[in-house]
Amino acid sequence: MNVLITGGAGYIGSHIALSLLQQNHQVIVLDNLCNSSPIALTRVEALSGKKITFHQGDIRRRADLNQVFNQQPIDAVIHMAGLKSVNESLQKPVKYYQNNIAGTLMLLEIMKQHQVNKLIFSSSATVYGVPEKIPLCENCDTGNTTNPYGASKYMVEKIMGEVVDAQPELAITALRYFNPAGAHPSGQIGEHPEGIPNNLLPYLFQVANGQRGNLPVFGDDYETPDGTGVRDYIHVMDLAEGHIQALNHLKPGYRHYNLGTGQGYSVLEIVQMFEQVSGKHVPVDMRARRPGDVAICLSDPGQAKKELGWQATRGLEAMLRDAWRWHTQNPQGYMGSETL
Ligand code: NAD
Ligand code: UFG
């Protein structure tokens, strides 16, 4: 298949591009590089020995999308382009709604124009907001979101359901990722956030390599076994394989699936496992709870197993080992690496 990945130069998109190429699909990427580097794609090409067709452009621009869809036939789209910082979304909600919602509307319009009917969407466990119950299954309530980022994912899911009602030929699957982590085992591609990391693992790695003093732990008084927040971390290669399975099972209609492991780890368990894996000591600094955080976020991944034949196979140790390899081999991310 000719598969277009919007946002394909990003952290998760680059891993999906690699998995698709390894399954002999053709990969086309549209990315405006607002949070990524084209070097990720050259590394994916080197790892796979195959070429990617790259378009630098913006999903909000009709002309950019038309150029991509006019240049080659597209069989399916994996729509990953979006902004993802919860904090930034609280400061700049219009920017988030513009990018994540208006950009998706433009994509849906151009897909219709070019009669492309297959779409996989990067959604998030954040659509569940404050969990109604644990573990979260697909028929749990959604929409009780706590920030514009989460609201944008919830609204896009809702829009997609309505668009499918009006265009029954469309096959759309939204994948609700839990906490993506890890990197390709080669250490060649991975995640490198700009500035001070918001997320646990990138922050922890910067403490371990001496870039930052100690790891703030946000809250030790949650109702969890050790008082710190529990999350369902999923290896990015498992996520990538989940997309391939979702693509293989696409059929007309709108569906959504959790992509998680169903296994939760607390912040302190992560620190402990990382210390074992890396041999590094990570000093922690207990702080107050971070506003907006929930105690536990955990998936029931059963529906994806039943209907897509997919389940995560990599555990926390592999996530930490692979991500740490990427981090130590690329302490500045793709910066300072080979140019195109
Ligand atoms: P990322 O920032 O690494 O990748 C997103 C990519 O989209 C970047 O390469 C960026 O340059 C591109 N992009 C953004 N706006 C664009 C636009 N208007 N036009 C073209 N390209 C644009 O993030 P990621 O972690 O790879 O996440 C990919 C998707 O998965 C996002 O939609 C994100 O919301 C979703 N998601 C991520 C997580 C996570 O924790 N990483 C969790 C749940 C869902
Ligand atoms: N945490 C710390 N210290 C830090 C960073 C995080 O203690 O420096 C804690 C948090 O309080 C939480 C856990 O580590 O208990 C995980 O926090 P992250 O920021 O890594 O991840 P979140 O669960 O808050 O959110 C992530 C993504 C969202 C996405 C969500 C669900 O950032 O975009 O998973 O998919 F929506």
Side-chain angles (χ1 to χ4, degrees):
M1 267 198 261
N2 284 353
V3 184
L4 167 65
I5 314 180
T6 71
Y11 167 45
I12 303 170
S14 53
H15 290 80
I16 293 177
L18 179 57
S19 292
L20 285 168
L21 290 170
Q22 287 170 337
Q23 302 270 324
N24 294 320
H25 294 290
Q26 308 297 317
V27 173
I28 301 108
V29 167
L30 171 68
D31 199 304
N32 66 3
L33 304 179
C34 70
N35 194 36
S36 52
S37 162
I39 294 168
L41 297 177
T42 57
R43 298 239 180 128
V44 169
E45 288 181 330
L47 285 167
S48 63
K50 295 184 179 150
K51 285 300 212 192
I52 292 172
T53 306
F54 175 56
H55 299 263
Q56 184 168 350
D58 197 300
I59 52 163
R60 291 165 296 177
R61 285 175 53 103
R62 185 182 298 276
D64 291 359
L65 282 168
N66 268 324
Q67 200 207 359
V68 175
F69 282 79
N70 283 331
Q71 190 161 317
Q72 64 276 294
I74 304 285
D75 299 304
V77 179
I78 299 183
H79 177 35
M80 321 220 43
L83 301 176
K84 63 167 182 176
S85 162
V86 169
N87 274 350
E88 195 194 20
S89 80
L90 289 160
Q91 313 301 322
K92 299 176 181 168
V94 174
K95 179 179 173 187
Y96 271 67
Y97 290 131
Q98 258 296 336
N99 207 77
N100 294 3
I101 300 182
T104 302
L105 291 174
M106 185 60 79
L107 174 67
L108 288 167
E109 197 181 318
I110 302 295
M111 283 178 64
K112 183 173 187 208
Q113 196 180 309
H114 292 264
Q115 292 165 1
V116 176
N117 292 328
K118 293 182 170 170
L119 177 64
I120 309 270
F121 172 58
S122 297
S123 189
S124 166
T126 192
V127 299
Y128 294 112
V130 179
E132 164 198 351
K133 63 168 187 142
I134 294 292
L136 286 155
C137 53
E138 285 81 351
N139 59 12
C140 287
D141 280 350
T142 55
N144 185 18
T145 50
T146 52
N147 53 73
Y149 166 69
S152 75
K153 293 291 180 190
Y154 166 73
M155 288 182 216
V156 167
E157 282 199 9
K158 189 164 158 38
I159 289 166
M160 287 180 167
E162 289 169 0
V163 172
V164 167
D165 287 343
Q167 289 171 242
E169 68 283 4
L170 271 180
I172 303 187
T173 291
L175 298 174
R176 296 172 176 166
Y177 315 157
F178 278 67
N179 286 56
H184 187 264
S186 63
Q188 289 294 299
I189 52 174
E191 181 182 28
H192 184 79
E194 289 302 315
I196 303 172
N198 286 315
N199 297 121
L200 177 63
L201 292 181
Y203 203 112
L204 184 154
F205 298 144
Q206 293 191 5
V207 173
N209 74 4
Q211 275 173 270
R212 296 189 192 279
N214 44 31
L215 175 72
V217 175
F218 298 131
D220 61 358
D221 55 352
Y222 285 110
E223 281 185 33
T224 59
D226 63 21
T228 65
V230 169
R231 296 290 182 275
D232 182 343
Y233 297 90
I234 173 164
H235 197 297
V236 66
M237 292 309 299
D238 278 325
L239 265 191
E241 289 163 12
H243 286 71
I244 307 273
Q245 283 302 94
L247 197 59
N248 291 340
H249 286 77
L250 264 181
K251 49 188 177 206
Y254 169 78
R255 292 173 182 78
H256 45 240
Y257 297 96
N258 288 341
L259 292 188
T261 64
Q263 170 82 50
Y265 292 97
S266 73
V267 176
L268 292 180
E269 283 175 318
I270 299 273
V271 171
Q272 197 183 18
M273 173 74 88
F274 175 75
E275 289 183 334
Q276 275 173 29
V277 162
S278 66
K280 295 273 180 183
H281 174 58
V282 177
V284 298
D285 177 14
M286 292 299 178
R287 304 260 185 98
R289 293 182 182 192
R290 187 172 64 174
D293 273 356
V294 296
I296 305 180
C297 184
L298 196 61
S299 71
D300 175 344
Q303 194 165 317
K305 183 176 179 191
K306 191 166 151 225
E307 294 180 20
L308 303 178
W310 170 89
Q311 66 181 324
T313 59
R314 298 159 180 89
L316 182 64
E317 193 177 330
M319 287 179 232
L320 294 172
R321 201 180 290 285
D322 292 340
W324 181 236
R325 184 179 304 110
W326 149 259
H327 193 83
T328 47
Q329 289 178 14
N330 306 270
Q332 304 303 322
Y334 297 108
M335 275 210 341
S337 166
E338 75 275 24
T339 49
L340 280 176

